[in-house]
C-alpha cells in the first residue's frame, strides 16, 4: 500500500464494516459475498488475522491485509481464582493496561469489561479511581476484550456482559455506544440487550444518551450512600450530579434500574442508611444489589460483616424493596475494579516495595 492508513475494521459498526468489505471485494474482482464472509470473521466467528481466514482465497486475504487492520490486544497476564473466575490484563498499543474478568456461574458466563484506562472519578474505595485517568478506550479496545477471549483456545463465549471493569462507561459514550451495537448485533456477538449492563456513577448526560437507544440495555447505578453528604465523601462526582438528580433520572428511565451499594463497615451500613436507601429505591422502583467490599487495595475501608449485610438487606425487604446480596467473586485474585493492574504496577517498584503475592488457593 502507498502510505494510506489502513481502515480499522474493529472500530466501526459491523454493518458499516460489511458494506466496506463488500465494496472492497467487488473492487478486487471478487464476488460481493466474500465481503460478508470477512465480516463474519470480525466478531461472530472471529479470526486472529486475515491470513487465518481459510475460507477465502489466499490472494484476497493478502489484499485485505494491505487495506484493512484487525488490531489485537496483547494479553500480558492471566489469573485464575479457585472459584472459576479468570482475570486478564491486556496491554494496548500505547502501553496502557486494562483488565477484563470472566465470571462463570452455572450456564452463564459474565464478562466484566473496561471502558477507560484508569478513571477520573476517584471513588474513595476503588482501586481504579486511585490510579487516576489515562484515556478513553476506543471501540476496538472495548469490544476487543470480548473478541480476544473468544479467540482463546478453548474460547470464552460470554452470555452476559457488564461494564463494571475499569472506567466510567458513560463518560466514553461514543465508543461505548458502538460497542453496545457490536455486542448486541446479529452481525456481532449476538448477546441479548437485556444481558448487557452499563454501570455508572450516575453520569446524567450518559444516562440520557442510553435512554435514547431503542434496545433494552440494562442500567445499574452506583449509589453507595443514601444522602449527599456521605455520598460526596465516597464519590466526589456527587457534587456535580447530586443524589436527587440521579434518582430523578433513574425514575425517568424507561427500564427498571438497579442500584449498586457497596457495603463499607461502619461507614454506610447502619440501619438508618438502609431506611434512607429504601426510600430512594422506592422513588424510582429500583432493584438493590448489595455488594460486599472487595478488600484488595481498598484504601482503609473494611467490608461489612456478613450478619450486618443480612440485617441491612432484611430492612430493605421489610420496606418492600427487592434486594440481592452479591457474592464476591475472585476474592483470591483481587478481581475488583482496577486491582490486577494495581498489583502489576506495584510489581515494577524496586525490591522491597514489591508485594509479589501468589494466587492464594484455599486448602
Ligand atoms: N464507573 C462505573 C463502572 C465501574 S465500577 C461505576 O462506578 O458504576 C463497577 C462497580 O464496582 C461500581 O459499583 C463500583 O463502585 C464497584 N467497586 C469499585 N471498587 C470496589 C471494591 N473494592 N469492592 C466492591 N465493589 C467495588
Amino acid at each position: 500500500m502507498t502510505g494510506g492508513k489502513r481502515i480499522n475494521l474493529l472500530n466501526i459498526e459491523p454493518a458499516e464494516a460489511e458494506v466496506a468489505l463488500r465494496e472492497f471485494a467487488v473492487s478486487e474482482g471478487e464476488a460481493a459475498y466474500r465481503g460478508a464472509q470477512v465480516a463474519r470473521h470480525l466478531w461472530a466467528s472471529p479470526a486472529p488475522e486475515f491470513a487465518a481466514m481459510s475460507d477465502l482465497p489466499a490472494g484476497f486475504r493478502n489484499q485485505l491485509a494491505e487495506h484493512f487492520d484487525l488490531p489485537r490486544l496483547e494479553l500480558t497476564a492471566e489469573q485464575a481464582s479457585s472459584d472459576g473466575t479468570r482475570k486478564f490484563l491486556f496491554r494496548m498499543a500505547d502501553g496502557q493496561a486494562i483488565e477484563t474478568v470472566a465470571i462463570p456461574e452455572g450456564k452463564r458466563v459474565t464478562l466484566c469489561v473496561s471502558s477507560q484506562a484508569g478513571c477520573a472519578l476517584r471513588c474513595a474505595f476503588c482501586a481504579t479511581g486511585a490510579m487516576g485517568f489515562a484515556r478513553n478506550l476506543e471501540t476496538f479496545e472495548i469490544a476487543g476484550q470480548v473478541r480476544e477471549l473468544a479467540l482463546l483456545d478453548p474460547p470464552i463465549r460470554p452470555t452476559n456482559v457488564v461494564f463494571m471493569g475499569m472506567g466510567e462507561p458513560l463518560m466514553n459514550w461514543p465508543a461505548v455506544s458502538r460497542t453496545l451495537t457490536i455486542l448486541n448485533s446479529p452481525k456481532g456477538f449476538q448477546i441479548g440487550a437485556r444481558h448487557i449492563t452499563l454501570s455508572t456513577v450516575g453520569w446524567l448526560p450518559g444516562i440520557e444518551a442510553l435512554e435514547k437507544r431503542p434496545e433494552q440495555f440494562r442500567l445499574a447505578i452506583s449509589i453507595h450512600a443514601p444522602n449527599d453528604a456521605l455520598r460526596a465523601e465516597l464519590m466526589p462526582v456527587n457534587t456535580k450530579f447530586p443524589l436527587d438528580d440521579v434518582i430523578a433520572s433513574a425514575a425517568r428511565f424507561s427500564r427498571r434500574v438497579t442500584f449498586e451499594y457497596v457495603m463499607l463497615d461502619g461507614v454506610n451500613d447502619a440501619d438508618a442508611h438502609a431506611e434512607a436507601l429504601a426510600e430512594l429505591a422506592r422513588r424510582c422502583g429500583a432493584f438493590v444489589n448489595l455488594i460486599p467490599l472487595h478488600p484488595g487495595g481498598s484504601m482503609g475501608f473494611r467490608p461489612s460483616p456478613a450478619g450486618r449485610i443480612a440485617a441491612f438487606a432484611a430492612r430493605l425487604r421489610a420496606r418492600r424493596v427487592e434486594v440481592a446480596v452479591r457474592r464476591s467473586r475472585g476474592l483470591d485474585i483481587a478481581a475488583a475494579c482496577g486491582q490486577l493492574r494495581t498489583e502489576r504496577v506495584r510489581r515494577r517498584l524496586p525490591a522491597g516495595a514489591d508485594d509479589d503475592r501468589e494466587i492464594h488457593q484455599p486448602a
Side-chain angles (χ1 to χ4, degrees):
M1 202 176 56
T2 50
K5 205 161 174 264
R6 290 180 301 168
I7 296 169
N8 179 351
L9 290 171
L10 304 180
N11 226 15
I12 55 181
E13 292 190 1
E16 196 188 331
E18 185 171 327
V19 169
L21 286 163
R22 282 176 174 274
E23 283 172 4
F24 180 73
V26 171
S27 75
E28 292 294 314
E30 297 283 344
Y33 79 86
R34 292 290 192 194
Q37 252 177 311
V38 181
R40 271 198 297 282
H41 289 308
L42 301 182
W43 309 108
S45 170
E49 54 185 342
F50 292 110
M53 298 179 185
S54 50
D55 52 346
L56 297 171
F60 185 48
R61 284 184 252 165
N62 290 337
Q63 293 296 338
L64 285 163
E66 276 186 26
H67 286 82
F68 298 103
D69 199 14
L70 288 183
R72 301 288 306 270
L73 311 181
E74 187 193 346
L75 180 57
T76 53
E78 181 185 345
Q79 290 183 335
S81 163
S82 52
D83 70 11
T85 301
R86 291 165 73 187
K87 187 159 68 156
F88 303 88
L89 189 71
F90 290 108
R91 194 162 61 201
M92 311 292 105
D94 65 353
Q96 285 298 328
I98 57 161
E99 303 174 358
T100 311
V101 182
I103 307 160
E105 219 175 1
K107 284 187 187 146
R108 303 196 316 189
V109 177
T110 300
L111 281 197
C112 177
V113 299
S114 293
S115 56
Q116 298 180 316
C119 183
L121 295 173
R122 297 196 179 276
C123 296
F125 48 84
C126 176
T128 306
M131 29 177 118
F133 177 71
R135 67 171 173 85
N136 278 329
L137 297 181
E138 293 189 47
T139 301
F140 80 95
E141 294 169 320
I142 310 173
Q145 297 164 56
V146 185
R147 187 173 191 275
E148 289 297 333
L149 298 190
L151 285 170
L152 293 178
D153 182 20
I156 297 178
R157 282 268 175 192
T159 57
N160 297 67
V161 174
V162 297
F163 286 74
M164 294 185 188
M166 295 164 64
E168 168 51 47
L170 294 184
M171 290 179 79
N172 184 14
W173 177 249
V176 165
S177 180
R178 260 193 305 277
T179 302
L180 292 174
T181 301
I182 291 168
L183 293 173
N184 179 238
S185 154
K187 294 179 193 293
F189 288 111
Q190 303 163 49
I191 300 169
R194 279 172 300 178
H195 296 162
I196 300 171
T197 302
L198 279 104
S199 177
T200 178
V201 295
W203 194 260
L204 298 185
I207 295 178
E208 277 168 31
L210 177 63
E211 172 76 46
K212 292 199 180 101
R213 295 221 28 168
E215 306 92 334
Q216 307 265 300
F217 298 118
R218 288 187 186 270
L219 177 65
I221 304 182
S222 296
I223 298 290
H224 302 328
N227 62 66
D228 278 321
L230 179 58
R231 193 165 187 266
E233 263 178 54
L234 297 175
M235 304 177 67
V237 70
N238 193 77
T239 53
K240 185 171 177 69
F241 298 123
L243 208 37
D244 263 347
D245 297 348
V246 172
I247 303 301
S249 106
R252 278 196 306 273
F253 199 71
S254 57
R255 282 95 70 183
R256 189 170 190 201
V257 165
T258 299
F259 284 178
E260 288 158 280
Y261 196 91
V262 63
M263 298 293 291
L264 305 168
D265 184 29
V267 175
N268 66 354
D269 63 351
D271 289 346
H273 294 128
E275 267 146 41
L277 179 62
E279 163 61 28
L280 298 180
R282 290 179 57 116
R283 257 203 260 158
C284 57
F287 183 99
V288 176
N289 269 338
L290 299 179
I291 309 166
L293 175 71
H294 210 303
S298 52
M299 276 86 50
F301 293 95
R302 290 179 314 272
S304 303
R308 179 88 291 266
I309 299 179
F312 195 95
R315 213 159 258 269
L316 288 166
R317 271 189 211 109
R319 287 177 163 58
R320 295 193 303 284
V321 172
E322 274 189 84
V323 54
V325 178
R326 290 287 146 209
R327 272 186 308 143
S328 214
R329 299 293 301 266
L331 275 175
D332 48 352
I333 57 168
C337 198
Q339 293 181 350
L340 175 59
R341 173 172 148 151
T342 301
E343 204 173 282
R344 302 298 289 188
V345 170
R346 250 194 246 133
R347 283 177 189 213
R348 282 192 223 117
L349 296 175
D354 198 346
D355 165 21
D356 198 19
R357 326 184 236 159
E358 287 304 318
I359 300 171
H360 170 69
Q361 295 287 352

